[in-house]
Amino acid sequence: MKPIEWLGNSLKILDQTQLPQKETYAEIANYQEAVTAIKQLKVRGAPAIGIAAAYGIVLGALSIRTSDIGIFRKQLGVIFDDFAASRPTAVNLFHAITRLKTSCREDSVTAMRQCLVDTAKAIHAEEEKAMIRLSKYGADLIQDGFKILTHCNTGQLATGVTYGTALGIIKKAFEQGKNITVYVDETRPLLQGARLTTWELHILKIPHILISDNMAGYFLHSGQINCVILGADRIAANGDTANKIGTYSLSVLAKANRVPFYVAAPTSTIDRNTPTGAKIPIEERNSDEVLQISGVSIAPKNTRVSNPAFDVTPNKYIKAIITQNGIIEKPYKRNIESIFQEGH
Amino acid sequence: MKPIEWLGNSLKILDQTQLPQKETYAEIANYQEAVTAIKQLKVRGAPAIGIAAAYGIVLGALSIRTSDIGIFRKQLGVIFDDFAASRPTAVNLFHAITRLKTSCREDSVTAMRQCLVDTAKAIHAEEEKAMIRLSKYGADLIQDGFKILTHCNTGQLATGVTYGTALGIIKKAFEQGKNITVYVDETRPLLQGARLTTWELHILKIPHILISDNMAGYFLHSGQINCVILGADRIAANGDTANKIGTYSLSVLAKANRVPFYVAAPTSTIDRNTPTGAKIPIEERNSDEVLQISGVSIAPKNTRVSNPAFDVTPNKYIKAIITQNGIIEKPYKRNIESIFQEGH
């Protein structure tokens, strides 16, 4: 399974909105389609969004018909802006944009195009390596017999590479021969847990049990869960973590029941420019995501809805943040800074 | 709207499984149909189950073709057992059965039948009065401008009478002219909040916002909720409360955010024979309730599922229990006992 594949002149993605019913790949030939794929969650998951955006920007750069570097730069700026406006919360998107902007300052259009292609490929390749290392660090925390609660989807689909974040750790622990069971939150409204995580775990043959989101507290309280591991869309400089809606609740419930709560994310998900979680923008998505499930209406028409796609977990509830450069513990502000300073 | 109506020889119920798409009434002519209606949640909500079971037992009693009181009692015993086996958690069902058993000890079949009819009607009439009083007591806790979070359905549909429990309080507060907004948890897996509570609030013209269950923590944490009010399926002698799955999580989240958490229930929901919540049986329901929504599959086939229908909230998280006999606060064991002793 390759959730994101660069074909040289186009981008091939596994359309996550069709899973688990259909395994459909879409070939994206222009940058507008890539923006739409991100907005519509055909590609989702913070690291995967970063990679897809990088390749999407390349598609845009390849389509600019000029040899004038000034005109090229101007049109490229519009493309950067279109991707920046696609989704507000996951920071990997903005890191990919910034990296392409700062890495590629060539004087000719040809050289610029080549630089953008090379940088996008480098982002993809680095995430591949990062996720393997992250999964190994995290797997050390998983003991034989563990029952692990997770939320949303953090597997290959979410990272676009061979290992996921939280689900990469679970995959690695399973490959190490540990007997584990994964409790999968269905993750309303878009059911990434029910649709995507169960699908990945099924392929990997890792035992798992699907539950509704509101059952997680019951299982945490009854002592059936050894740890909670999930991903992140943006981690502030102080460790506050934005992730899929419902994450905050799980962190409070884990704390109340003395179950360790781990966040797994590559350093590309850490945003040192955002001091605390209060500064992370939370995407409000369409009402229909709550009002309908697979096109079937679940409430009276015109019912008013709130649909925040993410919430912020205060750093105090997080036992550790697992990255490719090691495991970060409290105090987060200092230890996050040092993991970057050490030049891992 | 009359969710439960006794027609003399049959029982008319509003089929809650068809809402909000269709307002369909079913006429139940024999007791087996009544048992099935309870199992299939055509009638649901702890007080409503108690009333429907009482009338269902009457239907059974009317169908026993004998004038021999011994034979009658024996067959009636089978009917009692069938209802007792229909759903395990809500105690109102068992209270209704016990009341019919102990109230009706007549010597003739004719007199027995009449006693059972009269007792079932009395249970229904008493719940009607109880819910009006409960709603008034609870409405005193609601201030103008309050934003109230609720879970599952606790309205007329759940009680079978003019006022609900938690939703009865909300209805009464609104009738008192208070400007309130209700945050409605959709309440997976069977979506009683999305399907039933929004439907009732729409009819009552009470402002409301539908959210996914996993969003409740977000709104509690962001200071947008003034109180949580919900119902109960069984309250133990120490105040531990079994209610729809997800209630425990809300209680922990309310506590963590210093939001008062109220349980509203008639005294028929209190089970003084169950010392603590640990002794309350939790119904495990069918996997398909989680795997499908309105018949649409949301996960890969054969995915393993857990589906506990209820959870237990420890008494420490409950600010007060609102009954028709007044508001019970800590210490619950003593104060629950005294509300019965005072002969309210």
Side-chain angles (χ1 to χ4, degrees):
Chain A
M1 188 232 308
K2 284 188 181 172
I4 301 176
E5 192 177 3
W6 177 244
L7 300 179
N9 283 302
S10 66
L11 180 62
K12 188 176 166 189
I13 59 156
L14 175 52
D15 182 352
Q16 300 189 33
T17 62
Q18 302 296 312
L19 289 171
Q21 281 79 14
K22 280 184 276 184
E23 195 174 334
T24 311
Y25 287 83
E27 198 172 327
I28 292 175
N30 63 61
Y31 91 88
Q32 291 92 343
E33 281 177 30
V35 171
T36 303
I38 290 170
K39 282 185 183 171
Q40 294 181 345
L41 314 191
K42 289 181 180 176
V43 181
R44 49 145 292 285
I49 291 171
I51 296 165
Y55 286 129
I57 289 163
V58 168
L59 285 177
L62 296 179
S63 72
I64 300 170
R65 303 201 173 280
T66 183
S67 57
D68 182 314
I69 188 68
I71 294 171
F72 182 87
R73 279 189 209 286
K74 205 170 168 184
Q75 294 194 24
L76 187 62
V78 173
I79 293 166
F80 281 133
D81 291 347
D82 283 355
F83 279 95
S86 63
R87 295 198 69 194
T89 303
V91 79
N92 311 60
L93 171 70
F94 302 99
H95 282 162
I97 292 170
T98 302
R99 176 136 169 221
L100 291 168
K101 275 186 187 170
T102 53
S103 300
C104 300
R105 300 173 182 275
E106 314 300 319
D107 290 333
S108 80
V109 169
T110 310
M112 270 296 281
R113 284 195 183 119
Q114 191 58 50
C115 177
L116 292 166
V117 170
D118 292 345
T119 307
K121 285 182 180 172
I123 289 171
H124 196 174
E126 287 164 23
E127 290 291 39
E128 176 71 48
K129 280 185 195 165
M131 250 38 102
I132 291 169
R133 293 180 60 189
L134 179 156
S135 296
K136 280 183 188 160
Y137 279 119
D140 290 344
L141 300 169
I142 309 296
Q143 293 172 32
D144 190 45
F146 259 27
K147 290 179 174 159
I148 304 160
L149 178 68
T150 193
H151 191 64
C152 200
N153 173 267
T154 59
Q156 287 190 253
L157 294 169
T159 60
V161 296
T162 315
Y163 282 80
T165 55
L167 221 55
I169 290 167
I170 287 165
K171 179 179 172 178
K172 177 54 72 182
F174 186 72
E175 286 169 352
Q176 290 170 344
K178 290 168 186 164
N179 174 22
I180 54 175
T181 302
V182 185
Y183 282 69
V184 180
D185 273 359
E186 64 175 8
T187 318
R188 277 281 287 152
L190 290 176
L191 299 164
Q192 290 91 340
R195 294 191 302 108
L196 309 178
T197 299
T198 57
W199 185 77
E200 290 201 49
L201 290 170
H202 180 76
I203 292 170
L204 296 168
K205 302 195 192 320
I206 301 174
H208 58 281
I209 296 170
L210 176 65
I211 59 172
S212 303
D213 300 310
N214 63 16
M215 295 172 189
Y218 173 87
F219 289 104
L220 284 162
H221 188 50
S222 58
Q224 293 178 63
I225 306 292
N226 299 98
C227 68
V228 180
I229 313 185
L230 34 69
D233 289 84
R234 188 186 302 209
I235 299 171
N238 72 341
D240 291 349
T241 295
N243 189 46
K244 178 55 54 197
I245 190 76
T247 300
Y248 162 73
S249 298
L250 294 176
S251 75
V252 174
L253 289 161
K255 186 85 164 185
N257 292 290
R258 298 165 194 233
V259 175
F261 180 93
Y262 300 113
V263 170
T267 52
S268 57
T269 303
I270 298 174
D271 178 14
R272 286 186 293 163
N273 294 323
T274 298
T276 72
K279 299 287 181 188
I280 300 176
I282 299 296
E283 181 179 8
E284 175 82 20
R285 291 184 61 87
N286 196 293
S287 295
D288 283 343
E289 293 183 355
V290 174
L291 287 173
Q292 297 176 6
I293 298 177
S294 302
V296 177
S297 181
I298 63 158
K301 272 184 194 171
N302 304 319
T303 298
R304 192 175 152 204
V305 162
S306 256
N307 186 15
F310 304 94
D311 57 27
V312 174
T313 297
N315 57 15
K316 68 177 174 181
Y317 293 117
I318 301 168
K319 169 94 173 159
I321 298 170
I322 304 156
T323 76
Q324 77 275 26
N325 294 341
I327 293 170
I328 309 173
E329 293 185 328
K330 290 167 191 154
Y332 286 114
K333 198 177 166 189
R334 194 186 70 194
N335 292 341
I336 284 173
E337 195 53 37
S338 61
I339 217 156
F340 283 96
Q341 296 307 327
E342 286 162 16
H344 281 283
Chain B
M1 187 231 308
K2 284 189 181 172
I4 301 176
E5 191 177 3
W6 177 245
L7 300 179
N9 283 302
S10 67
L11 179 63
K12 190 177 166 190
I13 60 155
L14 175 52
D15 181 352
Q16 299 189 33
T17 62
Q18 301 297 310
L19 289 172
Q21 281 79 14
K22 280 184 275 184
E23 195 174 333
T24 310
Y25 287 83
E27 199 172 326
I28 293 175
N30 63 61
Y31 92 89
Q32 292 92 342
E33 281 176 28
V35 170
T36 304
I38 290 170
K39 282 185 181 171
Q40 294 181 343
L41 314 191
K42 289 181 180 177
V43 181
R44 49 145 291 287
I49 291 171
I51 296 165
Y55 286 129
I57 289 163
V58 168
L59 285 177
L62 296 179
S63 72
I64 300 171
R65 303 202 172 280
T66 183
S67 57
D68 181 314
I69 189 68
I71 295 172
F72 182 87
R73 280 189 207 285
K74 204 170 170 184
Q75 294 193 25
L76 187 63
V78 173
I79 293 166
F80 281 133
D81 291 347
D82 283 354
F83 278 95
S86 62
R87 295 199 68 194
T89 303
V91 78
N92 311 59
L93 170 71
F94 302 99
H95 281 162
I97 292 169
T98 302
R99 174 131 171 225
L100 290 168
K101 274 185 187 171
T102 53
S103 301
C104 300
R105 301 174 182 274
E106 314 300 319
D107 291 334
S108 80
V109 169
T110 309
M112 271 296 280
R113 285 193 182 120
Q114 191 57 49
C115 177
L116 291 166
V117 169
D118 293 345
T119 306
K121 285 182 179 173
I123 289 171
H124 196 174
E126 286 163 25
E127 290 292 38
E128 175 71 49
K129 280 186 195 165
M131 250 38 101
I132 291 169
R133 293 180 61 188
L134 179 157
S135 296
K136 280 184 188 161
Y137 278 119
D140 290 343
L141 300 169
I142 309 296
Q143 293 172 31
D144 190 45
F146 260 27
K147 290 178 173 159
I148 304 160
L149 177 68
T150 193
H151 192 64
C152 199
N153 173 267
T154 59
Q156 285 190 255
L157 294 169
T159 59
V161 296
T162 316
Y163 281 81
T165 55
L167 221 53
I169 290 166
I170 287 165
K171 178 179 173 179
K172 176 55 72 183
F174 186 73
E175 287 170 350
Q176 290 170 345
K178 290 168 187 164
N179 175 21
I180 54 175
T181 302
V182 185
Y183 282 69
V184 180
D185 273 359
E186 65 176 8
T187 318
R188 279 278 287 150
L190 290 177
L191 298 165
Q192 290 91 341
R195 295 191 301 106
L196 310 178
T197 299
T198 58
W199 185 77
E200 290 200 49
L201 289 170
H202 179 77
I203 292 171
L204 295 169
K205 302 193 192 321
I206 301 174
H208 57 282
I209 296 170
L210 176 65
I211 59 173
S212 303
D213 299 310
N214 62 16
M215 295 173 188
Y218 173 87
F219 289 104
L220 284 162
H221 188 49
S222 58
Q224 294 179 62
I225 305 291
N226 298 98
C227 68
V228 180
I229 312 185
L230 35 67
D233 289 84
R234 188 186 301 209
I235 300 170
N238 73 340
D240 290 350
T241 295
N243 190 45
K244 178 56 54 196
I245 190 77
T247 300
Y248 162 73
S249 298
L250 294 176
S251 76
V252 174
L253 289 160
K255 186 85 165 184
N257 292 289
R258 297 166 195 232
V259 175
F261 180 93
Y262 300 114
V263 170
T267 51
S268 57
T269 303
I270 298 173
D271 179 14
R272 287 187 291 164
N273 295 323
T274 298
T276 73
K279 299 286 182 189
I280 300 176
I282 299 296
E283 180 179 7
E284 175 83 19
R285 292 183 61 89
N286 196 293
S287 295
D288 283 343
E289 292 183 354
V290 174
L291 287 172
Q292 297 176 7
I293 297 176
S294 301
V296 177
S297 182
I298 62 158
K301 272 183 194 173
N302 304 321
T303 298
R304 192 175 153 205
V305 163
S306 256
N307 185 16
F310 304 94
D311 58 27
V312 174
T313 297
N315 57 15
K316 68 178 174 180
Y317 293 116
I318 302 168
K319 169 92 173 161
I321 298 170
I322 304 157
T323 76
Q324 77 274 28
N325 293 341
I327 293 171
I328 308 173
E329 293 185 328
K330 290 165 192 157
Y332 286 114
K333 198 177 166 191
R334 192 187 70 192
N335 292 340
I336 283 174
E337 195 54 38
S338 60
I339 216 154
F340 282 96
Q341 296 308 327
E342 286 162 17
H344 281 283

